[in-house]
């Protein structure tokens, strides 16, 4: 089998350990509440199976309506589907049937996410302008992939470290 770009792309993606996952919507009525806290153990919903994310990977959760970081989580499970009863009762959105069980790595930050106001898009711009390095993996200098409808995108390890440092300074 020839080593096409798809094979190389897939191999590189599996080496990733940090991801940005957006939650909520940009319309004011559908934003996550400013007072919402991230539980210590929680599920994260996906519209499609998050097959590139593996146990031990870390997710930076981005509240898209506010444009702020919301939480920093560690993945504890392989992807699994929600129970049909949850969808029927309205407890889960049927458009997001895939779940990952995650552990909150910084409960103190996520309890104060709205007060901390770490703007993800501005952080990416600052990082790229300061270092000249790429933000996503495979390489882009911005997070436009989130605006293009991607549910999650991989991060360069150096940018993930930059976000962690910003989170710890506040």
């Amino acid at each position: 089998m020839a080593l096409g770009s798809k094979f190389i792309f897939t191999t590189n993606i599996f080496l990733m350990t940090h991801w940005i996952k957006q939650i909520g919507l940009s319309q004011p009525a559908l934003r996550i509440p400013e007072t919402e806290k991230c539980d210590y153990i929680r599920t994260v919903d996906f519209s499609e199976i998050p097959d590139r994310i593996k146990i031990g990977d870390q997710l930076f959760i981005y509240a898209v309506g506010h444009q702020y970081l919301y939480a920093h989580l560690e993945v504890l499970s392989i992807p699994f589907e929600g129970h049909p009863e949850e969808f029927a009762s309205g407890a889960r959105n049927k458009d997001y049937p895939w779940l990952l069980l995650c552990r909150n790595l910084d409960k103190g930050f996520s309890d104060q996410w709205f007060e901390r106001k770490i703007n993800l898009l501005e952080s990416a711009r600052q990082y790229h302008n300061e270092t000249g390095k790429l933000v996503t993996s495979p390489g882009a200098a911005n997070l436009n992939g989130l605006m293009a409808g991607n549910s999650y995108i991989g991060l360069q390890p150096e940018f993930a470290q930059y976000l962690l440092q910003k989170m710890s300074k506040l």
Side-chain angles (χ1 to χ4, degrees):
M1 179 175 162
L3 294 178
S5 62
K6 183 174 181 181
F7 177 81
I8 293 169
F9 174 79
T10 302
T11 301
N12 288 338
I13 287 297
F14 275 100
L15 298 176
M16 287 305 307
T17 59
H18 296 92
W19 304 88
I20 288 284
K21 166 68 172 111
Q22 58 187 1
I23 60 171
L25 296 171
S26 58
Q27 296 92 337
L30 300 174
R31 291 180 181 173
I32 62 173
E34 296 154 9
T35 55
E36 182 174 315
K37 309 280 190 259
C38 181
D39 295 331
Y40 182 67
I41 300 290
R42 67 164 293 162
T43 57
V44 178
D45 303 354
F46 292 82
S47 58
E48 297 177 356
I49 187 168
D51 55 359
R52 297 180 294 167
I53 299 176
K54 58 192 179 307
I55 294 173
D57 281 359
Q58 294 181 10
L59 303 176
F60 288 95
I61 305 298
Y62 166 61
V64 70
H66 300 285
Q67 298 186 356
Y68 298 148
L69 282 180
Y70 172 70
H72 180 221
L73 309 175
E74 177 185 15
V75 177
L76 301 176
S77 73
I78 60 172
F80 61 96
E81 288 187 270
H83 295 282
E85 302 83 37
E86 292 177 308
F87 301 121
S89 71
R92 286 214 176 274
N93 184 335
K94 65 180 171 37
D95 295 332
Y96 296 88
W98 291 98
L99 308 168
L100 288 174
L101 184 65
C102 297
R103 175 174 65 99
N104 191 337
L105 294 173
D106 190 345
K107 184 85 168 98
F109 174 83
S110 60
D111 282 351
Q112 299 177 356
W113 70 275
F114 192 76
E115 292 82 14
R116 303 266 186 115
K117 297 186 184 322
I118 296 180
N119 184 300
L120 180 64
L121 303 178
E122 183 58 32
S123 295
R125 276 190 288 278
Q126 287 173 345
Y127 173 79
H128 180 68
N129 290 341
E130 291 171 11
T131 67
K133 294 182 179 180
L134 300 175
V135 173
T136 67
S137 184
N142 55 47
L143 296 168
N144 288 348
L146 292 175
M147 305 320 133
N150 293 328
S151 178
Y152 64 97
I153 57 175
L155 297 180
Q156 292 286 343
E158 295 87 356
F159 179 61
Q161 189 62 38
Y162 178 84
L163 290 177
L164 290 172
Q165 289 172 352
K166 284 189 89 143
M167 291 169 65
S168 70
K169 287 182 182 176
L170 301 175

